[in-house]
Amino acid sequence: MTLPLTLYRLGMTLLEPAAASLLVSRRKKGKEDPERMGERRGLAGRARPAGRLAWVHGASVGEVVSLMPIVERLTRRGFRVLVTSGTLTSAAVLAQRLPPGAAHQFMPLDVPRYLRRFLDHWQPDLVLFAESEIWPNAVFAVRERGIPLLLVNARMSERSFRRWRQAPKSARTLLEQFDLCLAQSQADGERLARLGAPRVGIAGNLKFDVPAPPADARTVASLSGIIAGRPVWVAASTHGGEEEIISLVHRALMERRPGLLTIIAPRHPERGEAVADIAHRAGLNVALRSQGALPERDVDVYVADTIGELGLFYRLAPIAFIGRSLVPLGGQNPIEPAKLGAAILHGPHVYNFADIYAAIDRAHGALPVADAESLAQALAMLLKDTARTRAMARAAAQTVESLGGALERTMRAIEPYILHMDLRHNG
């Protein structure tokens, strides 16, 4: 183990009291479930089921949702699956989507004692980490027990690659612990290999194979009736700095498009009241879904500050602006709105999903915008030209469908490790 990794491990051991204090601070800020705090310290919230167990980990909503097809495949083959994540939002989404035979726990902090507790209890036979979740102590704790460790849907952005290159020996040492790294793209795979991953495959992006997010049919019908006849668009997964722009855009369009309804679904639903305040200050009438309000005729901005309902709002709005892209934060995934028939708008900052946006842009399924003025112009054009909007939506959906197949490639690649689990338990 390299000196930086040794110091990290020692530091996390010595800082265990500080880690406990961090959890208390996060609980006070509403970022931890007070009834499940023990899980973050490696204390199991339920018994380990008998038989073969796969541990699958993703950081937050996007990662764990992309893993759901793998989880479903494993449970259909008789495996028990433990899914871990690190956010309250991901836990709420998983509570709705986990299949029978799978359970959720919060990921322990990267403290050696917490991880020993966790592994002593769960004793997984196979471990799959998603995307860029490479926590050193977790990686070494798994490998020290001889458990097969795979990195699936692996992503290594150019920015992350440059950071890892500053500690090349540590990067190589960490990546050598993985039995297999299955990258989302050729570029991701090449960066992982250059950093020292010895076994790299290209499987594609699992997010393309995730079913469209669900929505209650009665709720869709009810809200469709309420907003019938109104021009409507959704600004999804927005972050701070974007809601001000969206409010300005609504004001710029409302005289030309009477009855315009703007739906804002903030990436973090707990920001709902702050988002509503921004729209209020812009002189707009606002209603919050979390308070049980409906998008009645006098509502200009409907704040969708609930968890697990984006599938509903993508079904209601023919145009979706995908947030975290007008501010330099790297964008959010456009696959879900594409699958649900929305024409897509996005800002210039989409480096976290550059390949996906490039493909949809090339197919004319999405339009890039740079600021409030260009967003207003694009919306005005699409709200007026419904044929163009429908053509964009079809192009986006077809592009996403054409890029599928990662699930089958991933399952083929991990099949030897699944067979190893079988032999371990049957032998």
Side-chain angles (χ1 to χ4, degrees), residues 122-173:
W122 290 106
Q123 300 182 33
D125 301 287
L126 174 67
V127 179
L128 279 66
F129 289 169
E131 300 207 9
S132 53
E133 283 293 281
I134 307 174
W135 291 99
N137 289 331
V139 167
F140 287 117
V142 170
R143 292 305 295 162
E144 285 165 2
R145 296 178 184 231
I147 305 167
L149 175 63
L150 314 182
L151 187 64
V152 299
N153 217 34
R155 185 160 58 91
M156 178 61 65
S157 68
E158 184 62 37
R159 179 176 297 189
S160 295
F161 175 73
R162 288 196 297 269
R163 285 200 299 266
W164 280 105
R165 283 294 290 267
Q166 294 172 17
K169 291 183 180 178
S170 295
R172 177 177 292 277
T173 300

Side-chain angles (χ1 to χ4, degrees), residues 75-121:
T75 56
R76 286 207 300 264
R77 290 182 61 169
F79 296 100
R80 300 292 184 172
V81 182
L82 174 70
V83 183
T84 59
S85 65
T87 65
L88 291 175
T89 307
S90 61
V93 170
L94 287 170
Q96 300 172 359
R97 297 203 191 185
L98 277 180
H104 174 261
Q105 295 276 276
F106 285 107
M107 176 73 173
L109 298 185
D110 204 38
V111 173
R113 191 160 73 103
Y114 295 174
L115 291 159
R116 284 196 298 273
R117 281 179 188 158
F118 177 88
L119 290 169
D120 284 345
H121 177 83

Side-chain angles (χ1 to χ4, degrees), residues 233 244-258 260 262 282 284 372-377 379-380 383:
W233 67 294
E244 291 85 352
I245 294 172
I246 292 159
S247 298
L248 287 173
V249 167
H250 185 101
R251 286 199 63 84
L253 294 177
M254 60 192 299
E255 289 187 9
R256 284 183 284 168
R257 303 296 302 180
L260 177 66
T262 296
L284 302 172
E373 182 180 359
S374 56
L375 177 56
Q377 289 173 349
L379 273 170
L383 289 169

Side-chain angles (χ1 to χ4, degrees), residues 179-203:
D179 292 277
L180 180 65
C181 295
L182 293 175
Q184 293 184 15
S185 70
Q186 189 69 38
D188 291 312
E190 288 173 0
R191 293 181 193 119
L192 286 164
R194 287 170 65 187
L195 287 172
R199 293 164 292 278
V200 178
I202 313 300

Side-chain angles (χ1 to χ4, degrees), residues 264 266 268-278 286 288 290 303-305:
I264 301 179
H268 301 289
E270 64 271 17
R271 293 185 57 244
E273 291 192 5
V275 172
D277 187 57
I278 291 167
V286 186
L288 285 94
S290 63
V303 180
D305 55 338

